[in-house]
């Protein structure tokens, strides 16, 4: 037995080492896209990221960041945290599988033979490495996100429960339960996914201590559900909510100072727990004592959340939601900014509210008490418009269009319960869970959004070269899936209760999460990482599948050692094929462009600029660059969606490193939550032709009756009285400032006039207008070129393109040029000298869709600059720009995209006629292949179809522009054939 323990430990650590080495070798060296830049920055300086915060991840990430030799290494070290967490997940998965395999193979107290040990170790190695090299686990292991650490907590908690099970009955066994409670509390500070493992833990407890019966199982399940509810709603938001209520009472009703109510509430909770523990000891009630101690350790683990209000109170540069008091912390924990989704019972997508109710009051910390800023408004729906399991609930137009792809929705009719179930099974479970499951254990077609499952091989009819050659096209030939199903069957036959427990873990970390999330029919990216716990559970069955294979070989091989050896060799093919297929698309070691693109965007801005950004991928990498590397901290990055909140506007009015406060005229009382959230358009004939922007902002600040309109009983709103605005410009001052190119100096206007074609102004638009009116051109104002044009608020004709950002200038561009003019000198200096495109020319590096979007945007800017030089007759400069673009972003490493066709006529004009024809032919072939493929794949790929249709139409125009009339007619004929298929 001693030898077995030693072998088990040694092999487990070997698995850990293999996983750690693989993850370190494939680790991204800098901040990845999506939330990673935000998490790295927040870890480095202990800032306050988006709700619900992940404070434990930030604290540990901060420790890892201290090992960095310089700021450019911080991202790698925080990424390493995810790699090591994932490696430890593989370690505890190995030990979990060997515990379960040993139970099957050996009776209690029986000594293992060498063949037994080999099979048990092989099952652990195969299962653990299958998870290590699974698509979702590997993806999370190489970036600074919370899902790797969350998976680690799931793995160690389940392993610890198995250790308790082995020790149950001993006097010290309950220490394992208390450890598990502490780990669960800690996991809350990372992600809530770990909580769904509790039902599996409950049944391990139940099967170990009680004789199983049907009703006993029901009670065990209900108790586990209560435990989840207590933690998820009673502890996490519940205790802070109660503390908030007590705080408001003590401050507002009793007149005591801020914080007094929280202190009293904490004292009450502590005293109650102490009394309960003393009572359990007095009465010798072991279950109550263990339960109360477990509660204490859950709270100790949960206390990592104290970091959030503590750090927020110091007004850090990233301080999302500003949760520096108990009431704002509650809103932060409840993720109120994200809204609610109906779960068990609720309205359908086309339900119309018949009434509305005032919900709980919303408070703001005032001078000496909490001020009510409004109430949460809850719409009331008729019961006939509601249904059980409402899955078709979103009324957003793009969602409705997508719903129709999955179920047959008829105009004006409520979806039936059957249609809701159809959407649940086809989309939410089939597309958003089982597809991901099969990605991990069967194969993946490509990295294109909504890509399907690759079953038996990589080849097939009508597959585009781009898909066929994609590094993300991975085929496992069903081996992991088959071995996993074999392991499930084998465990059901040999250890039915253990199989039931693993089944619970598999269900609640996968299917149950899909049910709970109630996802709308579109997502900005794939969400497979959410279900990593389920893939972890299936990997247990893959490991046990080794024993199943050995059982099948029983009739062929009678020698136990030979059987164990052959089984090990056969089953090791599972992780080997997974690592071989997955390495090239999971290797991020040479990718830098996420941060390079952020620096390029910052470098597009003049000193002391204000830069409006759109979403995660053009914001969080900028935060990383500024907060961690200290790069261009003079530029104030402003996320447009956040400008709809009062806390974010307040932050813009504070100094941030080298960036001065915004020069806004509106005060907090003009934009605080519930005030001027939106201004509907209500025409005033007096200003229909136009209103002075400064006068409009002044009227808003004064809450002037001229802008007011009655809205509901006793409620007034300020309005947008016209679509037309103007702003007077000191022309001489602007000329002296010198930010307008020499050739445009004569076109500087003394009055900017523009139209905002919106039915209402959101708060963010109001703040943008205030900034424009008060700035007086002192600070450059930019929009990232990735910002939705709807947020340009009519200013696009006053844009100057300086790189990857538009600068607002008092020069009106001709109407045919909708988005400003090109500032050639600045653009040339930025694109050709300042900007970095590291490794975009390396065909061995895999770039997924996120990177390709940014390379496409950069290509477009090169084309704009080249066209501007051609317009001026400067062929040499146009050729230099074009050549440099194809040098740093060649087609063999970055496939030609939506913006590439415009280069065909540019190449032709600068004398590269052969290259122009080559690009035309390559893109025509690529688009035709893609259309043939995606038309067969169906409506899920409408975006790919539409994009390639537009490309094909562009190629027709480009072929005509370079004089290839026959080729243009051929392409036009093909375009019309595809258009018929599209309409038919």
């Amino acid at each position: 037995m001693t030898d077995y323990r030693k072998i088990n430990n040694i092999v487990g650590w070997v698995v850990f080492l293999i996983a750690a080495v693989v993850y370190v070798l494939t680790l991204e060296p800098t901040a990845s896209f999506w939330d990673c830049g935000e998490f790295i920055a927040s870890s480095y300086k202990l800032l306050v990221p988006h709700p619900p915060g992940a404070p434990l991840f930030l604290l540990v990430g901060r420790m890892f960041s201290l090992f960095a030799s310089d700021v450019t290494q911080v991202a790698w070290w925080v990424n390493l945290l995810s790699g090591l967490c994932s490696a430890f997940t593989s370690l505890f998965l190995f030990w979990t599988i060997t515990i379960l395999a040993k139970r099957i193979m050996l009776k209690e107290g029986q000594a293992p033979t060498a063949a037994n040990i080999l099979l048990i170790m092989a099952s652990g190695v195969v299962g653990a490495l299958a998870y290590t090299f699974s698509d979702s686990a590997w993806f999370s292991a190489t970036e600074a996100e919370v899902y790797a650490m969350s998976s680690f907590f799931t793995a160690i908690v389940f392993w610890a429960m198995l250790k308790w099970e082995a020790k149950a009955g001993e006097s010290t066994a309950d220490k394992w339960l208390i450890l598990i409670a502490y780990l669960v509390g800690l996991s809350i500070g990372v992600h809530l996914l770990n909580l769904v493992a509790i039902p599996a833990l409950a049944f391990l407890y139940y099967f170990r201590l009680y004789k199983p019966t049907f009703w006993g199982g029901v009670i065990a399940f209900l108790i586990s559900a209560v435990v989840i509810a207590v933690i998820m709603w009673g502890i996490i938001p519940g205790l802070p909510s109660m503390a908030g209520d007590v705080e408001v009472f003590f401050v507002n009703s009793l007149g005591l100072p801020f914080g007094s109510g929280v202190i009293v509430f904490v004292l009450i909770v502590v005293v109650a727990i102490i009394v309960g523990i003393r009572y359990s000891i007095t009465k010798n009630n072991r279950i109550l004592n263990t339960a109360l101690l477990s509660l204490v350790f859950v709270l100790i683990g949960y206390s990592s959340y104290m970091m959030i209000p503590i750090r927020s109170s110091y007004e850090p540069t990233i301080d999302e939601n500003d949760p520096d008091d108990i009431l704002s912390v509650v809103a932060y924990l409840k993720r109120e900014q994200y809204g609610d989704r109906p779960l068990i019972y609720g309205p359908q997508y086309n339900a119309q509210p018949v009434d509305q109710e005032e919900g709980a009051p919303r408070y703001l910390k005032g001078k000496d008490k909490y001020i009510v800023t409004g109430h949460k408004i809850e719409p009331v729906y008729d019961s006939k418009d509601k249904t059980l399991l409402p899955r078709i609930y979103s009324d957003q137009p793009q969602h409705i269009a997508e719903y129709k792809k999955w179920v047959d929705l008829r105009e004006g009719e409520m979806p039936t319960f059957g249609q809701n179930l159809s959407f649940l099974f086809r989309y939410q479970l089939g597309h958003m869970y089982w597809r991901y499951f099969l990605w991990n254990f069967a194969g993946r077609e490509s990295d294109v959004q909504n890509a399907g499952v690759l079953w038996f091989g990589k080849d097939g009819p009508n597959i585009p070269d781009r898909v066929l050659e994609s590094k993300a096209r991975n085929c496992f030939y069903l081996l992991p899936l088959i071995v996993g199903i074999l392991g499930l069957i084998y465990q059901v036959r040999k250890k039915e209760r253990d199989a039931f427990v693993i089944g619970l873990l598999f269900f609640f970390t996968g299917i149950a999460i899909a049910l709970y999330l109630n996802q709308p029919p579109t997502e900005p990216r794939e969400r497979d990482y959410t279900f990593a716990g389920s893939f972890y559970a299936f990997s247990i069955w893959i490991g046990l599948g080794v024993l199943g294979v050995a059982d099948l070989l029983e009739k062929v091989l009678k020698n136990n050692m030979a059987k164990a050896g052959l089984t090990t060799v056969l089953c090791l093919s599972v992780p080997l094929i997974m690592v071989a297929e997955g390495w090239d698309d999971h290797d991020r070691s040479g990718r830098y462009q996420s941060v390079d693109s952020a620096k390029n965007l910052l470098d597009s801005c003049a000193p002391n600029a204000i830069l409006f950004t759109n979403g995660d991928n053009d914001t969080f990498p900028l935060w990383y660059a500024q907060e961690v590397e200290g790069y261009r901290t003079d530029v104030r990055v402003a996320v447009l969606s956040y400008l709809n909140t009062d806390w974010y506007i307040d932050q813009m009015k504070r100094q941030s490193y080298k960036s001065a406060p915004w020069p806004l005229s509106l005060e907090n009382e003009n934009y605080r939550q519930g005030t001027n959230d939106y201004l509907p358009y209500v025409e005033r004939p007096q200003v229909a032709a136009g209103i002075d922007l400064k006068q409009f902002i002044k009227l808003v600040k004064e809450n002037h009756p001229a802008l007011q309109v009655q809205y509901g009983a006793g409620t007034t709103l300020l309005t947008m009285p016209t679509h037309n605005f103007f702003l007077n410009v000191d022309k001489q001052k602007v000329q002296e400032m010198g930010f307008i190119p020499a050739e445009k100096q004569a076109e500087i206007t003394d009055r900017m006039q523009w139209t905002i074609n919106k039915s209402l102004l959101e708060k963010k638009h109001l703040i943008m207008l205030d900034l424009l009116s008060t700035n007086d051109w002192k600070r450059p104002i930019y929009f990232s070129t990735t910002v939705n044009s709807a947020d340009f608020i009519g200013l696009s004709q006053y844009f100057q393109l300086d790189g990857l950002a538009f600068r607002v200038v008092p020069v009106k561009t001709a109407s045919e040029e909708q988005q400003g003019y090109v500032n050639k000198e600045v653009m040339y200096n930025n694109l050709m000298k300042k900007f970095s495109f590291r490794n975009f020319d390396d065909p061995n590096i895999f770039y997924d869709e996120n990177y390709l979007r940014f390379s496409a945007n950069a290509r477009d800017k090169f084309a704009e600059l080249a066209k501007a030089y051609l317009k001026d007759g400067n062929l040499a400069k146009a050729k230099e720009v074009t050549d440099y673009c194809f040098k740093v972003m060649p087609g063999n490493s970055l496939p030609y995209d939506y913006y590439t066709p415009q280069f065909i006529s540019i190449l032709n004009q600068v004398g590269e006629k052969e290259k122009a024809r080559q690009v035309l032919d390559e893109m025509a072939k690529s688009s035709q292949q893609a259309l043939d493929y995606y038309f067969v794949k169906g409506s899920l790929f409408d975006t790919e179809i539409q994009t390639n249709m537009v490309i094909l139409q562009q190629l027709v125009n480009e072929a005509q522009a370079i004089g290839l009339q026959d080729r243009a007619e051929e392409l036009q004929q093909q375009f019309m054939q595809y258009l018929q298929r599209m309409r038919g």
Side-chain angles (χ1 to χ4, degrees):
M1 187 59 71
T2 304
D3 288 340
Y4 173 82
R5 282 205 195 103
K6 187 183 294 185
I7 293 169
N8 191 39
N9 288 335
I10 291 172
V11 177
W13 284 107
V14 169
V15 167
F16 168 83
L17 190 62
I18 292 170
V21 168
V22 168
Y23 292 151
V24 168
L25 290 176
T26 57
L27 209 63
E28 185 144 359
T30 187
S32 309
F33 282 117
W34 300 107
D35 298 343
C36 300
E38 180 194 24
F39 278 129
I40 294 169
S42 298
S43 296
Y44 183 55
K45 292 185 175 176
L46 293 183
L47 308 175
V48 182
H50 66 276
L56 182 69
F57 178 88
L58 302 184
L59 289 166
V60 182
R62 170 59 181 162
M63 292 171 60
F64 271 69
S65 73
L66 296 175
F67 291 103
S69 57
D70 62 75
V71 291
T72 61
Q73 298 300 310
V74 168
W76 188 90
W77 279 98
V78 182
N79 289 341
L80 179 63
L81 169 60
S82 290
L84 292 181
C85 282
S86 294
F88 274 111
T89 301
S90 298
L91 171 64
F92 286 105
L93 174 56
F94 171 85
W95 284 334
T96 295
I97 294 171
T98 57
I99 289 172
L100 296 172
K102 187 181 173 188
R103 279 187 192 172
I104 294 175
M105 293 201 70
L106 303 173
K107 294 178 181 178
E108 192 171 345
Q110 182 183 351
T113 65
N116 293 150
I117 293 174
L118 179 56
L119 278 177
I120 292 170
M121 295 304 110
S123 65
V125 170
V126 169
L129 291 184
Y131 179 77
T132 299
F133 305 134
S134 64
D135 183 60
S136 301
W138 200 343
F139 180 88
S140 295
T142 53
E143 65 176 17
E145 252 280 18
V146 297
Y147 298 101
M149 187 179 282
S150 177
S151 296
F152 161 72
F153 276 109
T154 299
I156 192 172
V157 161
F158 194 77
W159 169 83
M161 196 65 192
L162 292 175
K163 296 294 286 185
W164 167 85
E165 190 181 25
K167 302 285 186 181
E170 298 179 10
S171 59
T172 58
D174 286 355
K175 68 181 182 181
W176 286 99
L177 298 177
I178 294 169
L179 171 64
I180 289 167
Y182 179 56
L183 292 170
V184 168
L186 287 174
S187 74
I188 294 169
V190 180
H191 202 283
L192 297 181
L193 285 174
N194 189 49
L195 297 181
V196 293
I198 289 175
L201 307 185
F203 273 90
L204 280 174
Y205 184 92
Y206 172 66
F207 288 147
R208 182 65 180 82
L209 295 184
Y210 300 94
K211 183 179 179 180
T213 64
F214 173 77
W215 289 111
V218 171
I219 292 170
F221 176 76
L222 291 176
I223 291 173
S224 70
V226 169
V227 171
I228 293 175
V230 166
I231 297 173
M232 196 165 179
W233 291 289
I235 292 178
I236 297 173
L239 286 177
S241 294
M242 288 187 283
D245 293 339
V246 174
E247 169 75 356
V248 170
F249 174 74
F250 272 66
V251 175
N252 285 16
S253 300
L254 302 183
L256 294 175
F258 289 117
S260 56
V262 175
I263 293 171
V264 170
F265 180 79
V266 170
L267 289 174
I268 291 171
V269 171
V270 170
V271 169
I273 290 174
I274 292 172
V275 169
I277 291 174
R278 287 178 62 88
Y279 175 80
S280 69
I281 295 171
T282 303
K283 297 297 182 180
N284 199 26
N285 190 327
R286 182 173 178 174
I287 293 177
L288 177 60
N289 183 261
T290 304
L292 288 173
L293 285 175
S294 297
L295 173 62
V296 169
F297 277 87
V298 167
L299 292 175
I300 291 172
Y302 178 44
S303 66
S304 65
Y305 261 99
M306 291 299 295
M307 187 204 96
I308 298 297
I310 289 171
R311 291 296 297 143
S312 179
S313 66
Y314 285 92
E315 308 291 4
T317 46
I318 296 177
D319 187 17
E320 299 202 37
N321 290 57
D322 192 23
D324 58 0
D325 62 71
I326 187 63
L327 300 179
S328 55
V329 167
V330 171
Y332 186 84
L333 290 170
K334 289 182 175 179
R335 298 161 54 96
E336 289 184 356
Q337 72 183 65
Y338 299 118
D340 300 318
R341 294 175 182 177
L343 186 58
I344 304 299
Y345 183 70
Q348 311 261 41
Y349 81 99
N350 53 357
Q352 297 298 318
V354 295
D355 200 358
Q356 61 182 30
E357 296 175 347
E358 277 195 353
R362 287 172 168 160
Y363 290 96
L364 181 72
K365 190 175 181 180
K367 187 176 180 182
D368 53 9
K369 66 177 183 178
Y370 293 100
I371 303 166
V372 177
T373 61
H375 291 76
K376 187 176 181 181
I377 302 299
E378 303 284 356
V380 177
Y381 296 93
D382 195 299
S383 59
K384 65 181 176 62
D385 294 338
K386 294 182 177 182
T387 186
L388 285 172
L389 290 177
R391 305 286 113 177
I392 306 175
Y393 62 87
S394 174
D395 61 355
Q396 294 184 29
Q398 67 269 31
H399 288 169
I400 295 172
E402 293 297 318
Y403 283 137
K404 292 177 179 178
K405 294 178 182 178
W406 294 95
V407 295
D408 182 22
L409 292 180
R410 297 183 181 178
E411 201 67 37
E413 292 185 11
M414 283 286 168
T416 64
F417 180 65
Q419 287 174 316
N420 277 278
L421 286 183
S422 176
F423 183 73
L424 166 64
F425 286 110
R426 294 184 63 203
Y427 176 77
Q428 293 181 334
L429 291 179
H431 190 68
M432 297 301 288
Y433 174 71
W434 289 114
R435 178 172 63 103
Y436 295 147
F437 173 81
L438 292 169
W439 273 8
N440 283 272
F441 304 115
R444 179 176 179 174
E445 281 187 337
S446 70
D447 67 315
V448 174
Q449 183 90 355
N450 295 315
V453 177
L454 198 58
W455 291 96
F456 301 109
K458 293 189 175 183
D459 296 329
N462 300 320
I463 300 175
D465 293 342
R466 182 169 172 179
V467 173
L468 194 61
E469 296 166 6
S470 170
K471 291 181 174 65
R473 188 171 177 81
N474 299 328
C475 183
F476 308 138
Y477 301 95
L478 301 182
L479 290 179
L481 182 64
I482 292 169
V483 174
I485 292 172
L486 183 60
L488 165 61
I489 295 169
Y490 184 76
Q491 192 183 31
V492 169
R493 286 178 51 228
K494 298 292 184 178
K495 283 285 182 180
E496 187 178 340
R497 291 179 189 173
D498 285 355
F500 177 74
V501 170
I502 305 303
L504 278 178
L505 184 65
F506 177 78
F507 175 83
F508 277 100
T509 54
I511 295 170
I513 290 175
L515 293 169
Y516 176 77
L517 290 176
N518 198 5
Q519 290 169 309
T522 58
E523 291 285 354
R525 58 170 168 156
E526 302 287 11
R527 301 293 193 184
D528 55 296
Y529 51 81
T530 307
F531 308 108
S534 181
F535 309 148
Y536 164 90
F538 189 78
S539 296
I540 295 175
W541 284 325
I542 292 177
L544 298 179
V546 173
L547 305 185
V549 171
D551 193 52
L552 292 175
L553 292 175
E554 185 79 38
K555 296 177 182 178
V556 180
L557 288 173
K558 298 302 182 183
N559 184 289
N560 288 335
M561 201 64 197
K563 178 182 66 176
L566 180 59
T567 301
T568 301
V569 170
L570 290 174
C571 292
L572 278 175
S573 64
V574 170
L576 286 175
I577 195 172
M578 292 176 77
V579 70
E581 285 288 293
W583 187 283
D584 54 1
D585 54 302
H586 289 92
D587 181 8
R588 307 191 194 189
S589 59
R591 299 202 320 203
Y592 294 92
Q593 193 48 220
S594 53
V595 172
D596 282 355
S597 66
K599 292 179 178 179
N600 293 346
L601 179 53
L602 290 170
D603 281 337
S604 300
C605 303
N608 201 29
I610 293 168
L611 171 64
F612 292 116
T613 60
N614 193 43
D616 295 0
N617 282 344
D618 64 345
T619 300
F620 293 158
L622 274 67
W623 284 3
Y624 161 81
Q626 292 185 319
E627 296 291 341
V628 178
E629 298 192 18
Y631 194 84
R632 291 298 307 273
T633 57
D634 60 301
V635 178
R636 179 62 66 93
V637 176
V639 190
L640 282 169
S641 57
Y642 290 180
L643 280 176
N644 277 328
T645 65
D646 50 4
W647 55 266
Y648 192 65
I649 300 168
D650 286 339
Q651 288 176 25
M652 293 298 104
K653 294 169 72 174
R654 297 200 295 261
Q655 182 82 22
S656 176
Y657 303 114
K658 295 179 182 178
S659 175
W662 276 19
L664 295 179
S665 63
L666 296 176
E667 304 292 343
N668 181 275
E669 62 198 38
N670 302 120
Y671 57 75
R672 69 172 46 149
Q673 187 177 13
T675 303
N676 293 328
D677 291 337
Y678 61 92
L679 282 70
Y681 169 68
V682 177
E683 186 181 16
R684 305 286 184 177
Q686 306 93 314
V687 292
I691 187 171
D692 185 337
L693 181 60
K694 291 180 180 288
Q695 180 190 9
F696 172 68
I697 296 298
K698 184 172 180 289
L699 292 173
V700 170
K701 185 174 182 179
E702 295 171 353
N703 197 30
H704 201 281
L707 295 183
Q708 291 180 2
V709 66
Q710 195 71 21
Y711 178 78
T715 304
T716 59
L717 291 178
L718 295 186
T719 62
M720 176 173 63
T722 178
H723 289 302
N724 303 306
F725 292 82
F726 64 84
L727 177 67
N728 294 321
V729 178
D730 186 337
K731 190 172 180 179
Q732 183 178 350
K733 179 181 178 180
V734 170
Q735 287 174 333
E736 290 171 356
M737 294 175 78
F739 59 85
I740 305 295
E743 69 269 19
K744 291 288 184 179
Q745 286 280 330
E747 299 178 36
I748 298 174
T749 182
D750 54 10
R751 172 177 284 193
M752 291 173 62
Q753 294 178 294
W754 70 97
T755 300
I756 303 177
N757 287 317
K758 287 182 169 293
S759 60
L760 57 84
L761 281 181
E762 295 178 52
K763 184 177 293 182
K764 62 182 178 182
H765 302 134
L766 177 64
I767 295 302
M768 292 159 70
L769 291 173
D770 183 16
L771 177 64
L772 188 64
S773 72
T774 57
N775 182 51
D776 198 26
W777 309 106
K778 292 175 183 174
R779 297 182 67 175
I781 297 175
Y782 286 88
F783 287 84
S784 167
T785 53
T786 56
V787 166
N788 190 320
S789 59
D791 284 327
F792 290 159
I793 52 173
L795 292 169
S796 58
Q797 286 185 305
Y798 291 96
F799 281 172
Q800 170 181 287
L801 184 60
D802 284 358
L804 298 179
F806 295 115
R807 183 172 183 172
V808 181
V809 294
V811 175
K812 189 170 185 177
T813 308
S815 58
E816 63 268 15
E817 299 177 73
Q818 286 300 306
Q819 294 190 356
Y821 64 88
V822 176
N823 187 354
K824 294 189 292 297
E825 184 179 343
V826 171
M827 277 278 283
Y828 180 88
N829 188 51
N830 285 336
L831 287 171
M832 306 290 286
K833 297 178 181 178
K834 279 189 180 181
F835 287 2
S836 177
F837 302 97
R838 277 182 293 178
N839 290 351
F840 258 171
D841 60 348
D842 188 344
N844 296 314
I845 296 175
F846 171 66
Y847 293 106
D848 61 24
E849 281 193 318
N850 299 308
Y851 284 85
L852 295 181
R853 290 190 195 103
F854 279 83
S855 65
N857 187 36
R859 270 184 179 146
D860 180 51
K861 302 308 169 281
F862 275 108
E864 291 294 329
L865 179 58
K867 286 189 287 188
Y869 279 125
L870 286 174
K871 188 176 179 182
D872 286 352
N874 194 337
L875 295 181
K877 281 286 190 184
K879 185 177 188 308
E880 182 186 357
V881 169
T882 305
D883 289 346
Y884 185 72
C885 176
F886 280 91
K887 175 187 173 185
V888 296
M889 293 184 288
N892 66 333
S893 60
L894 297 172
Y896 295 143
D897 53 60
Y898 177 89
Y899 293 109
T900 307
Q902 59 190 317
F903 278 103
I904 295 171
S905 55
I906 296 172
L907 287 165
N908 191 68
Q909 290 181 67
V910 299
E912 296 278 356
K913 298 183 185 296
E914 177 114 9
K915 177 76 171 175
R917 180 65 185 258
Q918 177 192 340
V919 173
L920 175 68
D921 291 341
E922 284 183 21
M923 292 205 70
K925 177 185 175 184
S926 176
S927 290
Q928 290 160 12
Q929 286 182 338
L931 287 168
D932 289 337
Y933 181 68
Y934 289 120
F935 269 122
V936 174
K937 299 294 286 184
S939 60
L940 275 178
F941 297 94
D942 280 352
T943 300
E944 295 293 322
I945 292 171
Q946 290 164 7
T947 299
N948 281 283
M949 287 291 287
V950 172
I951 289 174
L952 199 55
Q953 183 63 66
Q954 288 178 309
L955 295 176
V956 172
N957 298 334
E958 292 296 321
Q960 290 174 337
I962 64 175
L964 300 176
Q965 192 59 39
D966 291 345
R967 185 73 167 122
E969 289 176 4
E970 178 189 343
L971 291 172
Q972 178 65 27
Q973 188 176 7
Q974 291 170 349
F975 174 81
M976 295 307 296
Q977 290 172 353
Y978 287 122
L979 190 62
Q980 265 189 326
R981 289 180 69 178
M982 200 172 177
R983 292 171 175 171

